[in-house]
Amino acid sequence: MKTMPHSKNSFSLTAALGLMSLFVTPQASKAQNSAGPQLATIKQYCQGCHNDKAKVGGASFEGITEESIAKDPELFEKAVRKLRGRVMPPPGAKQPESKAADSVVAWLEDSLNKRPSLAHITDGQLLHRLNRKEYENAVHDLLGVDVNGTDLLPPDDTAQGFDNIASALQVSPSFIEQYVLAARNVAITALGRRDARAQGWTFRAEPGNQLTHVPGLPLGTRGGILAKVDLPADGEYRINIADMAGHIWGNGMEYENPLVVTVDNKIVYQTVVGGDEDSKLYDQVQNGAIDRVNARLKNIRFQAAAGPHKIGVTFRRQSFAQSDDQLQMFAPGGGQDRSYRVSSFQLLGPFDVKGLSATPSRDRILTCNPAADKTKTPEVCAKEILSTLAKRGFRRPVTVDDINELMQSYKDGAKQGGFESGIRAGITGMLASPFFLYRGERVPAGLKPGEKYALTDLELASKLSFFLWNSIPDDPLLDLAIKNKLSDRATLDRQVLRMLADPRSKTLASNFVHQWLEMSRLDAIVPDNDVFPSASGRMDPRADFRTELTLFADSIFREDRSVVDLLRASHTYLNERIALHYGITDVKGDQFRRVELKDSVRWGLLGKGAILMAAAYPNRTSPVLRGKFILTYLQGVPPANPPPAVPALNDKDIGTTKALTVRQLMAQHRASPTCSACHSIMDPLGFALENFDATGAWRDKDRFAGIAIDSAGVLPDGTPINGPDDLRNALLRQPEQFVQTFVEALLTYAMGRTHEFYDMPTVRKLVQDTAAKNYRFSSIVQDVVTSEQFRMRRVPQPVPPVQSASR
């Protein structure tokens, strides 16, 4: 056979696939014959659009064989994704029977799974910077102090929705400066300072009223703020509470509001705002009455020792007498009425510093004290302390060079202020070190480019702990790694189970789940006060929605249930505010507790306020956003981006002269053929949730149009649905589709790199292997941890000179 000369403009990939079908080997011909039914289905339902001539979407399936699939896995992974989600063939086109579609999917996936490739294994020599949350947790586990990464560090970039992707966590010179400053601040917080200067902290109340008890404050109190703070030294501190009297007519002053200030649940100050005496001030003094009332809330002094403290500003509880307000409050369950609230307070100090008491962080750090143990010199103690901390902070045994560098920082600091000043400087150097800020993986010597190798036990321990805890390894995990025992499969499985049972694994719910479901959208969805007065301002439910979602997901993970229960579980976690928002009246108080849901429309993720609100607009629902959310995050079939110049939905008529429902407005919008193709897929999914308004509250009528909500629709495969229950049941008919989407996201989060098409064979294998275990969460995590993507690396290939120069 005559070979064709290579040319930059030779022929398209589609043409190549077509030519390949003419030169099929006997083995390929046999495989093609065995795939006859699948090829017939593709020809009948797909090639009308995806042929060499039309090439809709840039894809042609003419002459398809297993070999042609292996030549373009990216294209066929997209095809499998569309077929699995039943979004192709498109709505309105002739549809294959379900068994025929499943057969095509199985054949395509089997062909894709067979291809040999190392592309899914990440190149070695990877540097992975800690993000804000990992930095916070690492500092807490290492030094025993709580810091706020948002205050200390620059924002983290994200990739595919996750903030732990190595390629997105870049560093600039300004970043380095901020990390050095952060290290210095953390070291001061951990050890305190005998020469501390006065500083200030401001604490603000969460949204909502303050009629019930705040967990952590003394019993018998209502509302207020509980602040946790690390004080830098023993001395005097002062509190200034935000003004409560602000109305020149003295509205709300009729009733007494007994206010108390507590430090570690002990009352250090109390006063009363309102009542007969204050009413007289307004009647008799008038000018200056406001200042005299608010003056009681200022310059509140108390003595406190260094270290962590809980400072509360709250009210003594009063009876729930009927309100004297003339109009009912918008807020479910009543508003603030005549009871005052603490909006914020400021803490200042220390003044008149008296020394440094023992604190949990000082006790953890100063394990050797030359003042107490005369047999050891300051240098010996410093070396012992910094070696212990660096072993955990660097996630490996320390070297002589490590210790020498930290000891040089110690000596520089000790010259300025003695032993503790030196330790503070050493800790600063450790926290600013690349060995703390980065996770590094080294390539073993003697391997050829492209050859794969396993992570060392120490690298595996670090990767595992940041996956499950967002933090550094603890001593048991690190000790196993140092002994090279962690890579044993049985040992690794036991460690995974131990770490999942640890409270620190809650980060999987608070970080992974929120990033997988793109809950960052909640930050931008500020409820419209004019449209939703009961779910905006002080009654904004977003913070509580986030808590509910975290507690719900954590319960599924911690109870080691099937991840499918994320869609169908009949429980959730509510406080009184969210319960009333959901129409549930037997939950009282601000504390979240587990609640079995009697109404099935609230079951699983589809009934959670955070999901419903994040996929809406501030003033109205959006079937498009909710449909897109379901396709992207629950089915793993993200829709295509809209074409340019598509007009936005015209909602100006809502609530004015001609009130239309969202469905009616959408009907006008999707009349365009350009829009209808995608909307036919997304809209039925979104309309099934239309009974939930933009804030996640249930409604039977559109209050602007005054007509009943229509939540009916037809899925692309012809299945009719009407409401959340039908939608959830439709999704549960293919539980493996949801599991595959979940595993894809979890693997991305675990790898710390973007997910690519060549990862899909591993994803499918994980789903198939865990099906026998009912998709139990721990079994999925164990298989992720033992996958090649997680444990293996590849020796980087040499970069061609031209490519290297362009990079």
Side-chain angles (χ1 to χ4, degrees):
M1 184 190 304
K2 186 177 180 180
T3 59
M4 298 181 64
H6 176 73
S7 170
K8 200 188 304 183
N9 301 314
S10 53
F11 48 83
S12 68
L13 177 61
T14 303
L17 296 178
L19 282 175
M20 285 174 60
S21 65
L22 301 177
F23 307 107
V24 181
T25 63
Q27 293 83 359
S29 178
K30 184 178 179 181
Q32 191 167 354
N33 291 334
S34 65
Q38 293 84 5
L39 292 173
T41 301
I42 292 173
K43 182 175 182 180
Q44 180 178 357
Y45 295 100
C46 304
Q47 288 186 12
C49 296
H50 301 292
N51 54 62
D52 290 346
K53 185 176 181 180
K55 215 173 183 183
V56 174
S60 172
F61 298 145
E62 283 194 41
I64 181 174
T65 65
E66 284 194 2
E67 286 78 6
S68 65
I69 293 171
K71 290 291 184 180
D72 194 357
E74 184 172 9
L75 169 65
F76 288 99
E77 286 291 0
K78 291 179 181 177
V80 166
R81 193 178 290 270
K82 298 287 187 183
L83 288 168
R84 263 194 166 277
R86 298 297 193 264
V87 298
M88 283 292 167
K94 189 177 180 181
Q95 300 288 328
E97 292 185 0
S98 182
K99 288 184 178 179
D102 290 342
S103 177
V104 171
V105 169
W107 177 67
L108 288 173
E109 288 183 342
D110 185 58
S111 301
L112 290 163
N113 293 344
K114 289 178 181 177
R115 72 181 193 278
S117 172
L118 291 180
H120 62 282
I121 301 178
T122 307
D123 283 350
Q125 292 181 328
L126 177 71
L127 284 179
H128 197 150
R129 175 173 64 81
L130 305 190
N131 62 24
R132 280 175 169 179
K133 183 57 67 174
E134 290 168 343
Y135 187 92
E136 288 179 12
N137 294 339
V139 164
H140 177 271
D141 291 346
L142 181 63
L143 303 176
V145 295
D146 294 317
V147 297
N148 189 335
T150 304
D151 295 338
L152 294 174
L153 303 174
D156 295 314
D157 291 328
T158 62
Q160 295 183 346
F162 294 103
D163 65 3
N164 68 338
I165 304 299
S167 59
L169 295 171
Q170 301 298 318
V171 173
S172 65
S174 62
F175 271 48
I176 296 173
E177 183 179 354
Q178 286 183 272
Y179 274 98
V180 173
L181 291 174
R184 187 176 296 123
N185 288 330
V186 170
I188 291 172
T189 302
L191 279 177
R193 295 191 66 151
R194 299 181 188 277
D195 58 347
R197 297 179 180 179
Q199 55 184 302
W201 301 263
T202 299
F203 306 98
R204 291 182 170 82
E206 297 291 335
N209 61 39
Q210 295 187 359
L211 299 177
T212 56
H213 176 254
V214 173
L217 287 173
L219 295 176
T221 62
R222 67 155 184 90
I225 300 172
L226 178 64
K228 298 179 181 179
V229 61
D230 274 285
L231 300 181
D234 304 349
E236 179 184 275
Y237 292 84
R238 301 170 188 172
I239 287 177
N240 293 320
I241 304 171
D243 293 349
M244 295 185 186
H247 204 292
I248 60 174
W249 291 284
N251 285 7
M253 284 290 166
E254 301 96 324
Y255 303 108
E256 292 186 353
N257 287 266
L259 179 139
V260 294
V261 176
T262 64
V263 176
D264 299 325
N265 281 346
K266 294 180 180 179
I267 296 175
V268 297
Y269 177 79
Q270 52 188 325
T271 188
V272 174
V273 179
D276 292 340
E277 293 300 319
D278 287 344
S279 295
K280 289 179 183 179
L281 281 177
Y282 276 87
D283 291 340
Q284 298 171 8
V285 178
Q286 296 182 357
N287 187 27
I290 293 177
D291 293 338
R292 290 175 64 172
V293 172
N294 288 329
R296 300 175 207 151
L297 308 176
K298 305 295 187 286
N299 203 29
I300 300 168
R301 305 184 180 203
F302 63 93
Q303 296 287 327
H309 293 278
K310 296 179 180 179
I311 299 177
V313 179
T314 182
F315 298 95
R316 292 184 184 275
R317 167 161 281 180
Q318 298 168 288
S319 66
F320 288 93
Q322 184 175 356
S323 169
D324 288 336
D325 280 351
Q326 294 178 339
L327 297 176
Q328 183 178 355
M329 304 295 288
F330 285 122
Q336 197 63 40
D337 297 343
R338 296 291 198 252
S339 299
Y340 281 105
R341 73 191 305 273
V342 181
S343 59
S344 66
F345 74 88
Q346 184 183 47
L347 174 66
L348 303 172
F351 303 96
D352 188 22
V353 175
K354 293 181 171 59
L356 271 174
S357 298
T359 67
S361 57
R362 284 175 61 83
D363 292 343
R364 178 178 295 193
I365 294 168
L366 300 175
T367 54
C368 180
N369 189 343
D373 187 352
K374 302 299 183 182
T375 64
K376 294 183 178 180
T377 66
E379 287 75 15
V380 170
C381 274
K383 188 174 183 179
E384 181 180 318
I385 290 169
L386 294 176
S387 298
T388 302
L389 292 176
K391 176 186 172 184
R392 288 206 63 200
F394 295 168
R395 285 90 67 184
R396 57 171 173 76
V398 291
T399 64
V400 174
D401 289 341
D402 294 330
I403 297 303
N404 289 342
E405 187 172 341
L406 294 177
M407 285 301 295
Q408 186 58 53
S409 297
Y410 162 79
K411 292 173 183 176
D412 293 341
K415 291 177 184 177
Q416 303 294 324
F419 176 72
E420 286 194 14
S421 179
I423 296 296
R424 191 182 300 114
I427 292 174
T428 301
M430 179 188 66
L431 297 179
S433 168
F435 298 121
F436 175 77
L437 295 174
Y438 286 89
R439 287 183 277 150
E441 298 167 358
R442 299 183 180 183
V443 178
L447 298 182
K448 299 177 181 179
E451 194 172 346
K452 68 178 183 179
Y453 61 92
L455 294 177
T456 68
D457 281 46
L458 286 168
E459 292 164 348
L460 180 61
S462 187
K463 193 167 185 64
L464 183 63
S465 66
F466 279 101
F467 167 36
L468 300 182
W469 289 346
N470 266 187
S471 188
I472 56 178
D474 61 0
D475 287 335
L477 187 65
L478 196 57
D479 290 343
L480 282 172
I482 292 172
K483 297 174 184 176
N484 292 321
K485 293 182 178 180
L486 183 59
S487 53
D488 173 70
R489 176 63 194 260
T491 302
L492 186 58
D493 283 346
R494 286 195 297 271
Q495 285 301 303
V496 168
L497 294 177
R498 178 184 73 85
M499 295 174 74
L500 288 176
D502 191 282
R504 283 171 286 188
S505 67
K506 190 174 182 179
T507 59
L508 288 168
S510 60
N511 279 4
F512 162 67
V513 169
H514 283 249
Q515 293 180 47
W516 160 43
L517 300 176
E518 200 186 355
M519 288 298 100
S520 58
R521 266 189 57 84
L522 279 175
D523 295 333
I525 307 299
V526 181
D528 190 315
N529 186 60
D530 294 330
V531 182
F532 302 108
S534 63
S536 56
R538 290 180 179 176
M539 298 305 297
D540 188 336
R542 288 178 295 171
D544 287 340
F545 280 163
R546 289 188 179 96
T547 302
E548 178 198 12
L549 179 60
T550 298
L551 293 174
F552 170 71
D554 186 60
S555 69
I556 301 296
F557 298 163
R558 201 161 294 282
E559 294 167 15
D560 201 15
R561 297 171 60 162
S562 168
V563 297
V564 182
D565 285 349
L566 288 168
L567 283 182
R568 66 192 177 196
S570 61
H571 73 278
T572 191
Y573 289 79
L574 304 175
N575 62 8
E576 184 175 6
R577 286 192 297 274
I578 301 303
L580 291 172
H581 195 76
Y582 287 178
I584 299 171
T585 58
D586 57 354
V587 174
K588 303 298 179 183
D590 287 348
Q591 189 170 359
F592 280 83
R593 78 293 310 265
R594 186 169 177 141
V595 175
E596 286 297 322
L597 297 166
K598 299 175 183 177
D599 192 345
S600 58
V601 299
R602 289 286 178 189
W603 289 3
L605 291 174
L606 293 177
K608 299 296 172 281
I611 305 294
L612 296 164
M613 199 170 184
Y617 291 113
N619 61 343
R620 66 166 176 84
T621 59
S622 173
V624 176
L625 291 180
R626 288 178 175 174
K628 179 183 178 182
F629 176 90
I630 293 168
L631 284 172
T632 303
Y633 301 111
L634 304 187
Q635 291 192 288
V637 192
N641 292 324
V646 173
L649 181 64
N650 180 14
D651 59 355
K652 292 182 179 179
D653 287 335
I654 293 183
T656 59
T657 57
K658 186 182 179 182
L660 299 176
T661 65
V662 172
R663 180 181 282 272
Q664 290 169 332
L665 290 166
M666 289 298 303
Q668 295 178 357
H669 181 71
R670 63 189 287 185
S672 166
T674 308
C675 304
S676 61
C678 289
H679 283 283
S680 299
I681 298 170
M682 293 186 291
D683 291 0
L685 301 171
F687 279 127
L689 302 175
E690 187 63 11
N691 281 105
F692 295 112
D693 70 15
T695 68
W698 183 266
R699 57 183 181 160
D700 294 312
K701 273 188 175 183
D702 185 300
R703 60 181 170 136
F704 294 111
I707 61 177
I709 296 294
D710 181 4
S711 61
V714 179
L715 297 180
D717 64 357
T719 303
I721 57 172
N722 192 349
D725 288 339
D726 284 354
L727 173 59
R728 184 176 60 255
N729 292 335
L731 296 176
L732 290 173
R733 280 200 294 271
Q734 287 185 298
E736 71 281 356
Q737 182 69 21
F738 171 74
V739 176
Q740 179 169 300
T741 307
F742 176 87
V743 170
E744 191 176 339
L746 187 66
L747 184 62
T748 303
Y749 182 78
M751 293 187 300
R753 69 160 170 83
T754 55
H755 180 271
E756 304 296 343
F757 68 90
Y758 43 71
D759 293 310
M760 287 309 298
T762 298
V763 171
R764 287 189 285 268
K765 185 177 187 304
L766 287 172
V767 175
Q768 292 166 4
D769 291 348
T770 55
K773 300 176 183 177
N774 195 29
Y775 306 122
R776 207 169 64 244
F777 178 65
S778 66
S779 65
I780 291 176
V781 172
Q782 286 174 326
D783 280 14
V784 165
V785 167
T786 55
S787 68
E788 285 197 329
Q789 276 91 335
F790 194 85
R791 294 193 58 178
M792 304 298 293
R793 291 294 176 267
R794 180 180 59 182
V795 180
Q797 299 279 4
V799 180
V802 175
Q803 188 178 358
S804 179
S806 65
R807 287 183 180 177

